[in-house]
Amino acid sequence: MVDVISNHQRWRHRQSIFNDIEDEIDRLHVGGLDDKDDVKLWKWGEGKFVSKFSSKKTWQHVRSEHQTCAWSQGIWFPQSTPKYSFILWIARRNRLQTGDKMQAWNVSVNAECVMCQGVQETCQHLFFQCPYSTEVWESLVKGFFRDDFTTDWDDIGEMVYGRSYPPTEMFLIRYSLQVAVHSIWRERNGRRHGEEPKAAAILSKLIDKTIRFHLLAVKATGHAYLERSLRIWFGIR
């Protein structure tokens, strides 16, 4: 926004950019401004100022643009659950505080996987190389993937964030991944804080129950491709 002030009081700032603004105001003032009222203009683009404010244009101007995230649609999609989407988003960006990251801060931290206690805990191991999480993941989606079933984190990403399956099946796969990641992460945290561990079969049943309840709710939203979601889910169990 541009705001030309006729009676300008000079200030010195720590940030050089603000001093540059002060210099520009002084330059305009010395250049001979008349006594007309000040005019406020909003910047809509390079060299383009208008009197109309637009939050969209302002946001586009002040933000830093990055390359479009191609796999975001596999996480943030209609009828997803925000808290599950958030955890999956953090996991896909490798920002979960897994054992390897905690050990980088403190070498005395036990970085072993609390599920299998066999190898160092990383995001790729926890989802779904660990025998515990492998059993959970397989119980949920083996009926969808069949011979294409995989526990490789990157391969799962390519399959889930692409368009290899019909809309209803894709929704079920994506939602299963969300709930599985969230539930396994909660189980992992619970074990690290001394809670009673759950067997993989028990956790799988709890995830299945969560998905069924959600499918009962989304059927009432009127989305055509979700009409048969519950029937398909029962069919692969």
Side-chain angles (χ1 to χ4, degrees):
M1 183 180 72
V2 177
D3 189 1
V4 181
I5 305 175
S6 56
N7 296 320
H8 174 60
Q9 182 179 0
R10 180 73 190 214
W11 296 90
R12 301 309 299 179
H13 306 276
R14 294 182 180 179
Q15 297 292 329
S16 60
I17 187 173
F18 297 125
N19 290 320
D20 293 342
I21 294 174
E22 295 276 5
D23 292 339
E24 181 66 15
I25 294 175
D26 287 340
R27 187 187 66 78
L28 292 173
H29 181 65
V30 173
L33 295 176
D34 54 29
D35 295 331
K36 293 182 179 179
D37 293 337
D38 299 333
V39 177
K40 292 182 173 62
L41 300 176
W42 294 92
K43 188 172 183 178
W44 275 29
E46 192 62 34
K48 182 180 180 181
F49 296 88
V50 298
S51 58
K52 180 181 178 181
F53 171 75
S54 168
S55 58
K56 177 181 178 181
K57 293 289 186 180
T58 303
W59 167 244
Q60 290 176 342
H61 181 68
V62 301
R63 76 184 181 96
S64 298
E65 293 189 12
H66 299 281
Q67 185 177 1
T68 301
C69 180
W71 46 265
S72 62
Q73 294 181 354
I75 297 178
W76 310 100
F77 53 88
Q79 307 306 321
S80 63
T81 301
K83 67 177 181 179
Y84 300 157
S85 297
F86 178 74
I87 292 298
L88 181 56
W89 175 266
I90 298 300
R92 286 304 306 173
R93 295 183 64 84
N94 197 25
R95 293 295 188 269
L96 291 177
Q97 303 310 313
T98 46
D100 59 330
K101 293 186 178 298
M102 294 191 298
Q103 195 172 60
W105 303 332
N106 186 349
V107 294
S108 64
V109 171
N110 182 5
E112 282 191 348
C113 174
V114 293
M115 304 294 193
C116 63
Q117 299 177 347
V119 297
Q120 185 186 52
E121 182 189 71
T122 64
C123 191
Q124 289 76 14
H125 170 76
L126 195 58
F127 313 112
F128 295 92
Q129 297 293 320
C130 172
Y132 180 93
S133 60
T134 295
E135 182 178 343
V136 174
W137 178 238
E138 184 175 5
S139 71
L140 293 173
V141 299
K142 183 65 179 291
F144 287 116
F145 292 141
R146 297 181 177 86
D147 294 338
D148 293 330
F149 175 79
T150 178
T151 59
D152 184 88
W153 187 234
D154 293 329
D155 290 344
I156 292 171
E158 292 181 5
M159 296 170 72
V160 171
Y161 309 133
R163 298 184 180 277
S164 304
Y165 299 89
T168 304
E169 284 79 355
M170 181 58 74
F171 169 79
L172 291 171
I173 293 171
R174 288 173 173 175
Y175 196 73
S176 298
L177 176 62
Q178 287 193 348
V179 184
V181 169
H182 180 271
S183 300
I184 291 172
W185 183 244
R186 283 195 63 183
E187 174 67 16
R188 175 264 189 195
N189 290 337
R191 293 190 182 198
R192 279 195 172 271
H193 290 86
E195 294 181 7
E196 188 71 21
K198 298 183 185 68
I202 298 299
L203 187 63
S204 297
K205 289 181 179 180
L206 292 175
I207 295 174
D208 175 60
K209 186 177 181 180
T210 298
I211 294 174
R212 292 185 187 190
F213 283 155
H214 187 69
L215 295 180
L216 286 171
V218 299
K219 281 186 65 177
T221 61
H223 289 77
Y225 71 94
L226 295 177
E227 292 275 332
R228 57 194 187 98
S229 58
L230 194 59
R231 176 164 54 85
I232 293 176
W233 182 253
F234 277 113
I236 69 165
R237 304 305 296 156

